Amino acid sequence: MNFKLTELNYVKHMRTLFIISCAIVIIGLGILFFRGLNLGIDFASGTRVEVQTETQVSQQELEAAFTEAGVNESISSIQYADGGSLANVTFVGQLSQDEVASVKTVFTETFGSDPNISTVSAEVGRDIARNAVYAVALASLGIILYITFRFQFSYALATVVAMLHDAFFMIVAFSIFGIEVNLYFVAAILTIIGYSVNDTIVTFDRVRENIQAYEKERKIKSMDVYRDIVNTSIQETIVRSVNTVITVLVTALALYIFGAESIRGFAVALLIGLVMGMYSSIFIASYLWLMLKKLTINKKKQATPAPEA
């Protein structure tokens, strides 16, 4: 396996895969426009009711209890814990004080315990969504500044575009499968951003080292040399990237299988994001860097005066 990975010509397929990725982004925008996201109550106005029972209750029993309490909002999700004796019921719609009191009365009589009820207003949900966008924006700005200082602006721009590509792909995947978007999803986005940037920087650091080693002997004058250097750098780092992703994927898969229902969305986001992070560092970030380098070379050629006849 290592031999095959380190012998592949990655640069050869970059343009095709980059075009495919651009097409997926366009299709993804359409999916988001028509389907939207399944926002949890962390981002939309909603209510969470935590019910402690002696035995696991069905959704029909819970719906009947809500109907008896005069609550007409449909249940968004039910998550069980403690062997099914603890049920967390969420639904879109903020309960009034009278409805909260009615639910407490009915659930206490029906299930023998006083439910814990928490609500999130639409304003709070908007604040959480706004802060999540600010977090990603500030992370992007910080990454651009740091990589520009440590490398060059071309490296920084390619890294951030690849990072945003990974985040967008996860958002589209959640839209397609209707997975609930909550605070765990935001945590997963920020986690994947870290992995994506780390993987890209490892590749770019090797690219820079190989460029410096090449320029000690002669000056780089053509794009073919840059392509060969990028391909060699990917070959030298691909095994490390694959091993890192596989290691974390095992952990994410364990979270999905054995973890609570509430963190399965987080595990799914990690599973998707880790694979996309490795893909984007090779076929998005590296390709964009080559394109930026090509633009720089073309500008230098145009700025160089033609020799006199």
Side-chain angles (χ1 to χ4, degrees):
M1 177 180 177
N2 292 351
F3 173 78
K4 292 181 180 179
L5 287 175
T6 55
E7 292 293 325
L8 292 176
N9 188 342
Y10 296 94
V11 173
K12 178 181 179 181
H13 306 288
M14 279 184 179
R15 185 173 183 274
T16 301
L17 291 173
F18 184 82
I19 293 173
I20 292 174
S21 295
C22 291
I24 292 174
V25 168
I26 295 173
I27 295 171
L29 289 172
I31 292 173
L32 286 176
F33 180 78
F34 288 105
R35 286 182 58 89
L37 291 170
N38 178 22
L39 297 177
I41 68 170
D42 294 322
F43 294 99
S45 175
T47 304
R48 178 180 290 110
V49 180
E50 186 178 279
V51 185
Q52 184 74 48
T53 61
E54 294 182 358
T55 59
Q56 182 172 325
V57 294
S58 65
Q59 180 172 338
Q60 290 74 18
E61 292 175 305
L62 291 170
E63 288 177 344
F66 280 118
T67 301
E68 184 180 347
V71 177
N72 297 320
E73 286 84 354
S74 59
I75 293 176
S76 173
S77 66
I78 301 176
Q79 298 172 356
Y80 293 100
D82 294 340
S85 61
L86 180 65
N88 286 300
V89 184
T90 60
F91 51 87
V92 177
Q94 191 174 357
L95 297 184
S96 65
Q97 292 183 351
D98 291 339
E99 288 175 324
V100 170
S102 179
V103 168
K104 284 182 174 291
T105 300
V106 171
F107 273 61
T108 301
E109 294 175 353
T110 304
F111 303 111
S113 62
D114 187 26
N116 181 24
I117 302 176
S118 58
T119 60
V120 177
S121 66
E123 183 178 353
V124 172
R126 286 193 295 269
D127 287 341
I128 294 174
R130 190 183 304 114
N131 290 336
V133 173
Y134 288 161
V136 175
L138 287 174
S140 301
L141 178 60
I143 290 167
I144 288 176
L145 293 175
Y146 177 75
I147 298 178
T148 300
F149 174 74
R150 293 289 297 176
F151 292 80
Q152 293 175 352
F153 178 72
S154 58
Y155 290 98
L157 182 60
T159 300
V160 170
V161 171
M163 176 194 79
L164 295 177
H165 166 273
D166 299 338
F168 178 77
F169 193 92
M170 279 195 295
I171 293 172
V172 172
F174 269 57
S175 176
I176 292 173
F177 296 109
I179 303 173
E180 182 178 304
V181 175
N182 50 30
L183 290 179
Y184 289 111
F185 176 76
V186 177
I189 288 284
L190 296 176
T191 302
I192 292 307
I193 284 176
Y195 275 105
S196 177
V197 171
N198 174 72
D199 206 33
T200 304
I201 289 301
V202 168
T203 303
F204 279 165
D205 191 51
R206 187 57 58 89
V207 169
R208 183 178 62 172
E209 289 177 354
N210 288 335
I211 288 175
Q212 292 173 346
Y214 187 94
E215 289 184 333
K216 286 180 179 179
E217 300 179 1
R218 52 197 177 279
K219 188 175 181 61
I220 300 176
K221 298 181 179 180
S222 69
M223 278 302 300
D224 289 337
V225 176
Y226 282 115
R227 293 189 186 95
D228 290 339
I229 289 175
V230 168
N231 194 65
T232 300
S233 301
I234 295 173
Q235 290 173 342
E236 291 173 348
T237 58
I238 186 64
V239 174
R240 174 199 178 279
S241 298
V242 170
N243 289 338
T244 301
V245 168
I246 290 176
T247 302
V248 184
L249 279 178
V250 171
T251 304
L253 188 61
L255 279 176
Y256 181 80
I257 296 174
F258 302 108
E261 185 69 27
S262 58
I263 64 171
R264 284 190 173 177
F266 175 78
V268 170
L270 285 181
L271 290 169
I272 296 171
L274 287 168
V275 175
M276 291 308 302
M278 185 179 67
Y279 166 84
S280 67
S281 67
I282 297 173
F283 298 108
I284 303 296
S286 298
Y287 182 77
L288 281 174
W289 183 83
L290 284 171
M291 292 300 98
L292 292 171
K293 183 59 66 175
K294 185 177 181 179
L295 289 175
T296 302
I297 291 177
N298 290 338
K299 286 182 179 180
K300 288 182 179 179
K301 288 181 178 180
Q302 293 174 1
T304 303
E308 296 182 1

